[in-house]
Amino acid sequence: MHFIKRFICFTFLTCLLFPLSIKAQKVGLVLSGGAASGAAHIGVLKALEENEIPIDYITGTSMGAMIGSLYAMGFSPEKIEELVKSESFQNWSQGIIDTKYAYYFKRDDNNASWITLKLSIDSAFVSTLPTNVISPFAMDWGSMEIASSPIAAANYNFDSLFVPFRCVASDIELKKSVIFNKGDLAQAVRASMSYPFYIKPIYVDGKLLFDGGLYNNFPSDVMLNDFYPDFMIGSNVSGNNPPPSEDNVLSQIKSMLQSKSNYDVLCEAGVIIEPETDVRLFDFKNIQPVIDSGYVAALRSMDFIKQHVQARVTKNELNKKRLSFKEKQPKVVFDKIYIDGLNEKQKSYALKILRHKNNIIDFEELKNGYFRLAADNKIKYIYPQAKYNHETGLFDLYLRVKKERNVVADFGGNFSNRPISMGYIGLQYNYLGKFATSVMANAYFGKLYTSVQLKTRFDFPFKTPLYIEPLFTWNKWDYFKSSNTFFEDVKPAYLIQSEEYGQLNMGFPTGKKGRIVTGGAFGRTTDKYYQTQFFTQQDTADRTDFDVATGQIYYEINSLNRKMYANAGEFLKIKAQYINGMETNTPGSTSVIDTLPIYKQHHEWFTLKITGERYFNRRGSFKIGVFGEGAYSTQTLFNNYTSSVLAVNAFQPTPDSRTVFKENYRAHKYLAGGLKFIVNIRKNIEMRFEGYIFQPYEKMMKNANNKVDYSLPFAFQYYIATAAAVWNTPVGPISLSANYYNEVKDPVTILFHFGYILFNKRTLE
């Protein structure tokens, strides 16, 4: 076989030496893999088209397969460049679902988890480890969206595309390359791009396929065997790995997985273009220099190419050919949906979420349904395929759906320089039938915060979806034990807050980003505190119990990109709450209030609270965030100053402010807001500078009897400022911040933490 290839190449070379046969007829373009570096292939295509060099065949691997397939479908180099630089492509490369399609209604409440393990009851632990870093949902749908119409026009034959095309993937079971020349083009390219441990591999015809670069990262042999071009142009942005190092595990894994590739054109009737790229493996954010490097490298070889390729194709000729191919492409309108991987009850659930009843449906409607289903935590994976039905003239959608594992375990928490560290454990059991059920339990444990929550959620896929959520929560905050700083031992007033409550919620979606939740709760809050900073072990604390019943309704929008330290998206919550309860106050030994041993008082009030947050992109790596909050309450005063302050709304816009008790930032009625200035230093590393003003309508002031006096309206203002360096790691944020609070004894705090400072919700939040 090797001799035959050499003989063919020799024949091609001999023909080039004869003047009467010097005119090359067919040109093949080979594009290597190389992740983000593969964007240089776009520059190569631009240079070839500008110099009217024909491209009659294309083969590619991985990123080369993606770029090559786009050209083979009739995309011009300029259109390919536009796509790769688009926000949609950036989202695909990072596994991010566009906020336009993110479905907040299905999102769980934020918690402090770092890692999630998903298990079947009978599965081994090793089978639960994740096989991919990024979510493939956006990439898979985007690939199908682009390729479904062109490949239908080619009748699923890669030779009938705008340019005949081949790509390769890797079968790691048989340890050989798989060459695609027909079938689903999006599926073939997706298989060729399934980089191990980064992008999830996919099944094709019963075989689990990975990135083509494992065994053939430069498919010049495929070009030679399938197309026999007169001249071969190779664009290579990769190379074989160096020998493995005894101290480098990654190099050892690469050597075990990846075979050496031949980066030659296999004969002298060709040229290799090698752009000089300097970009991280999957960094597509600043891709223009990479594209330009391909363009410049191609121009360096252009004289040689023109000497050996006499044929020319003008831009007008290409545009006419592209238009002719585009006119053959059917419009993507869907008729039927076929689901594989679920039982009949589960299929019924999925179809209701897709909102499809075998009626003709356009692409955009079904796209919304796909991402609604992808957002469901009972669904692990969906792979979509669009197949053209020649009888109906419409497309059918085939979804290969994999149900999420039954048991989900979360682990996380927060480690800090102050005694606010805490651990987090969550456990969830999922059931999927005609409706979906989740049974959840979580626990936080630390000096500052301890909590246990039990919750069940029933999701009903009605025409207007809804969920019903009964839950029980026990929370405890100990501001005395958590008050010590890294540098000094400061002991403010002893203060412990705890609560236990049962609640029943019902939620409805409002569009893709919002939901309305209504419900009620019964519970008890208990505050234990001293009313002076000078107390001994023999003293007893004051205690205030509040037996409460509440009714609430809130509207919430959330498209923030992170649980903490968001820098994109928006958040809005408008909440109205009715509270009715009985206060029971038991004075301690430090109480100065002359009253009966036990004081009881009925309270009833209404609260309205609005919180909003939004981020705006500015020049380059600079972003601005806006935060605002307002509260209005008809709440009556409790028996003493401390219990009154503890029962009102608190302004806590920063992670540090959630860990300390600051009485100046609490009021029945207030307006507050601030700005956030964010500068990206490197990917996922940023500096944040935030400033806020808190304006109470009337400040609550302690009088000589430990009761409350109100100040004049708007007489006091308070400020919060923070400067923080944040590294958003894959498991959680690492942050070092300096925080300032005006008009307090120690106005500056230093906070270092790794993890999430998040809590279960309070009953009077």
Side-chain angles (χ1 to χ4, degrees):
M1 188 68 181
H2 185 70
F3 171 78
I4 295 173
K5 293 179 182 178
R6 289 291 180 184
F7 176 76
I8 293 171
C9 293
F10 176 77
T11 304
F12 289 160
L13 183 60
T14 303
C15 291
L16 290 172
L17 298 176
F18 289 91
L20 293 177
S21 303
I22 198 169
K23 185 175 181 180
Q25 295 300 311
K26 296 296 181 181
V27 178
L29 177 63
V30 183
L31 305 178
S32 76
S37 295
H41 301 324
I42 303 171
V44 172
L45 288 168
K46 288 174 70 176
L48 293 174
E49 279 208 359
E50 285 181 8
N51 287 273
E52 300 183 346
I53 304 299
I55 301 171
D56 300 293
Y57 314 109
I58 295 181
T59 62
T61 295
S62 196
M63 188 64 178
M66 196 210 77
I67 301 297
S69 70
L70 290 170
Y71 193 84
M73 285 185 275
F75 283 69
S76 69
E78 292 75 19
K79 286 293 184 182
I80 299 174
E81 179 178 359
E82 182 182 326
L83 172 64
V84 171
K85 291 162 63 177
S86 69
E87 183 179 356
S88 293
F89 187 87
Q90 301 296 324
N91 289 340
W92 299 348
S93 69
Q94 298 175 67
I96 298 172
I97 294 176
D98 191 319
T99 55
K100 182 179 178 183
Y101 299 101
Y103 194 47
Y104 176 63
F105 178 68
K106 289 289 185 179
R107 187 191 296 184
D108 291 331
D109 290 336
N110 288 336
N111 58 49
S113 65
W114 298 348
I115 58 173
T116 298
L117 298 179
K118 300 177 180 180
L119 309 93
S120 292
I121 293 176
D122 58 349
S123 69
F125 172 77
V126 69
S127 69
T128 70
L129 298 177
T131 59
N132 52 291
V133 173
I134 68 167
S135 166
F137 291 117
M139 176 191 299
D140 291 345
W141 186 269
S143 299
M144 184 192 74
E145 185 173 358
I146 290 171
S148 54
S149 187
I151 194 60
N155 199 24
Y156 298 93
N157 183 346
F158 291 9
D159 286 338
S160 299
L161 289 163
F162 173 73
V163 175
F165 173 72
R166 299 287 186 273
C167 68
V168 297
S170 298
D171 182 343
I172 62 171
E173 181 185 3
L174 300 178
K175 294 185 170 48
K176 69 174 187 178
S177 290
V178 176
I179 301 169
F180 289 98
N181 57 19
K182 63 182 179 180
D184 188 324
L185 179 59
Q187 185 184 56
V189 174
R190 170 67 169 79
S192 185
M193 294 176 61
S194 299
Y195 194 90
F197 307 117
Y198 189 76
I199 301 173
K200 188 179 183 69
I202 63 169
Y203 279 99
V204 180
D205 297 331
K207 298 176 181 179
L208 187 65
L209 300 184
F210 286 80
D211 192 289
L214 293 180
Y215 303 137
N216 189 351
N217 205 32
F218 189 71
S220 55
D221 58 332
V222 178
M223 175 65 71
L224 186 64
N225 293 333
D226 281 30
F227 296 121
Y228 303 103
D230 298 294
F231 190 80
M232 198 183 299
I233 301 172
S235 177
N236 177 35
V237 293
S238 192
N240 289 311
N241 296 315
S245 166
E246 63 178 345
D247 298 321
N248 190 326
V249 175
L250 186 59
S251 72
Q252 296 169 20
I253 294 174
K254 284 183 176 180
S255 294
M256 286 188 285
L257 291 175
Q258 193 166 356
S259 301
K260 291 187 180 297
S261 294
N262 187 346
Y263 291 95
D264 295 327
V265 292
L266 298 183
C267 68
E268 296 182 14
V271 64
I272 293 287
I273 299 169
E274 295 186 300
E276 298 177 3
T277 62
D278 182 18
V279 63
R280 291 193 297 273
L281 200 59
F282 299 108
D283 184 6
F284 290 91
K285 285 190 175 180
N286 187 24
I287 210 67
Q288 188 61 55
V290 181
I291 297 172
D292 294 341
S293 71
Y295 181 82
V296 171
L299 291 182
R300 292 196 194 104
S301 300
M302 198 56 65
D303 288 342
F304 181 83
I305 295 172
K306 287 182 175 180
Q307 288 173 11
H308 293 81
V309 179
Q310 302 302 311
R312 297 289 182 269
V313 56
T314 66
K315 197 76 169 176
N316 285 338
E317 290 172 329
L318 279 174
N319 289 339
K320 287 180 181 178
K321 185 181 176 184
R322 286 192 175 105
L323 181 60
S324 176
F325 183 69
K326 188 174 181 62
E327 288 174 346
K328 299 177 184 178
Q329 298 176 23
K331 183 180 178 181
V332 182
V333 178
F334 288 100
D335 182 15
K336 292 182 172 58
I337 297 177
Y338 299 93
I339 296 177
D340 181 44
L342 301 178
N343 62 36
E344 291 304 314
K345 290 182 179 180
Q346 294 163 351
K347 286 180 184 179
S348 173
Y349 176 85
L351 286 170
K352 287 178 180 178
I353 291 179
L354 292 166
R355 299 179 189 171
H356 183 63
K357 298 180 180 178
N358 290 332
N359 298 317
I360 293 175
I361 183 170
D362 69 23
F363 200 94
E364 190 66 19
E365 285 184 74
L366 201 50
K367 186 175 182 178
N368 283 314
Y370 168 84
F371 284 111
R372 280 196 301 269
L373 187 59
D376 197 301
N377 62 9
K378 314 301 182 300
I379 302 298
K380 180 180 178 66
Y381 181 58
I382 314 170
Y383 186 76
Q385 287 182 274
K387 295 183 180 180
Y388 185 66
N389 188 325
H390 290 278
E391 294 182 2
T392 63
L394 302 170
F395 285 81
D396 295 327
L397 180 66
Y398 291 78
L399 296 177
R400 188 165 66 246
V401 182
K402 189 169 185 178
K403 185 174 70 71
E404 188 52 273
R405 295 176 185 269
N406 303 105
V407 180
V408 179
D410 292 318
F411 303 92
N414 174 62
F415 291 100
S416 174
N417 65 307
R418 301 210 309 260
I420 61 170
S421 299
M422 61 185 175
Y424 172 83
I425 297 175
L427 198 63
Q428 178 172 325
Y429 175 78
N430 294 321
Y431 170 80
L432 182 61
K434 283 191 174 182
F435 62 91
T437 304
S438 294
V439 180
M440 296 162 275
N442 69 48
Y444 291 83
F445 42 93
K447 288 186 176 181
L448 168 67
Y449 180 64
T450 306
S451 178
V452 174
Q453 184 176 85
L454 304 174
K455 180 167 63 174
T456 302
R457 173 164 164 160
F458 303 96
D459 278 277
F460 300 94
F462 300 148
K463 185 174 181 180
T464 300
L466 68 86
Y467 70 78
I468 296 175
E469 184 182 68
L471 60 90
F472 171 81
T473 305
W474 176 77
N475 290 321
K476 179 183 177 183
W477 285 264
D478 190 332
Y479 291 101
F480 176 70
K481 289 183 179 179
S482 65
S483 63
N484 299 340
T485 66
F486 189 76
F487 302 104
E488 58 182 334
D489 185 14
V490 179
K491 295 183 178 179
Y494 170 62
L495 172 59
I496 294 177
Q497 289 187 286
S498 62
E499 63 178 3
E500 57 274 349
Y501 67 91
Q503 190 167 6
L504 180 64
N505 294 320
M506 181 182 294
F508 310 87
T510 56
K512 302 183 190 74
K513 295 188 292 184
R515 64 182 178 182
I516 293 176
V517 178
T518 183
F522 294 90
R524 166 178 286 191
T525 67
T526 299
D527 300 328
K528 298 178 182 179
Y529 49 89
Y530 289 102
Q531 297 195 50
T532 175
Q533 293 194 20
F534 306 101
F535 55 88
T536 68
Q537 292 183 351
Q538 287 71 41
D539 286 316
T540 58
D542 282 52
R543 172 172 173 154
T544 298
D545 294 296
F546 187 49
D547 295 297
V548 61
T550 73
Q552 65 176 18
I553 183 170
Y554 65 84
Y555 168 66
E556 188 172 55
I557 292 174
N558 193 341
S559 62
L560 298 179
N561 63 330
R562 297 180 187 137
K563 293 191 286 187
M564 280 181 64
Y565 301 113
N567 65 6
E570 62 180 329
F571 173 83
L572 174 65
K573 185 172 184 178
I574 304 173
K575 180 176 180 179
Q577 188 173 28
Y578 168 76
I579 298 100
N580 190 317
M582 177 65 70
E583 173 198 5
T584 302
N585 178 247
T586 306
S589 61
T590 62
S591 176
V592 298
I593 298 178
D594 184 16
T595 186
L596 296 173
I598 294 180
Y599 169 87
K600 289 182 176 289
Q601 177 65 42
H602 175 260
H603 296 273
E604 182 179 14
W605 72 86
F606 170 83
T607 297
L608 176 65
K609 187 175 182 180
I610 302 174
T611 304
E613 184 176 359
R614 188 170 184 180
Y615 294 88
F616 305 89
N617 285 326
R618 288 296 180 261
R619 297 179 182 177
S621 58
F622 178 68
K623 297 183 179 181
I624 294 178
V626 178
F627 183 93
E629 187 169 282
Y632 175 86
S633 176
T634 61
Q635 183 175 351
T636 51
L637 293 173
F638 278 39
N639 186 42
N640 59 60
Y641 170 80
T642 306
S643 60
S644 296
V645 170
L646 287 171
V648 301
N649 290 302
F651 180 59
Q652 299 172 314
T654 65
D656 184 79
S657 64
R658 297 172 205 148
T659 68
V660 291
F661 176 71
K662 300 288 187 183
E663 56 194 75
N664 287 340
Y665 297 86
R666 291 170 173 259
H668 292 116
K669 306 177 186 69
Y670 66 82
L671 291 174
L675 294 175
K676 308 181 184 187
F677 299 94
I678 304 166
V679 181
N680 279 92
I681 307 300
R682 292 188 61 187
K683 183 180 180 181
N684 294 326
I685 298 177
E686 60 192 23
M687 292 296 301
R688 302 176 70 97
F689 304 93
E690 305 178 19
Y692 304 91
I693 182 171
F694 175 74
Q695 176 62 72
Y697 173 65
E698 295 172 319
K699 174 179 167 56
M700 300 172 68
M701 305 176 70
K702 183 191 294 187
N703 62 26
N705 296 318
N706 260 357
K707 295 284 192 177
V708 174
D709 289 332
Y710 285 114
S711 71
L712 293 174
F714 307 111
F716 292 88
Q717 298 85 37
Y718 296 97
Y719 306 95
I720 298 176
T722 184
V726 181
W727 177 22
N728 291 287
T729 75
V731 295
I734 299 175
S735 173
L736 175 64
S737 65
N739 306 275
Y740 171 79
Y741 305 88
N742 74 312
E743 295 194 25
V744 297
K745 182 180 178 181
D746 299 300
V748 177
T749 65
I750 303 296
L751 175 63
F752 172 81
H753 76 94
F754 169 38
Y756 295 100
I757 302 175
L758 296 171
F759 313 115
N760 286 325
K761 291 181 178 179
R762 297 190 181 200
T763 184
L764 298 179
E765 190 175 37

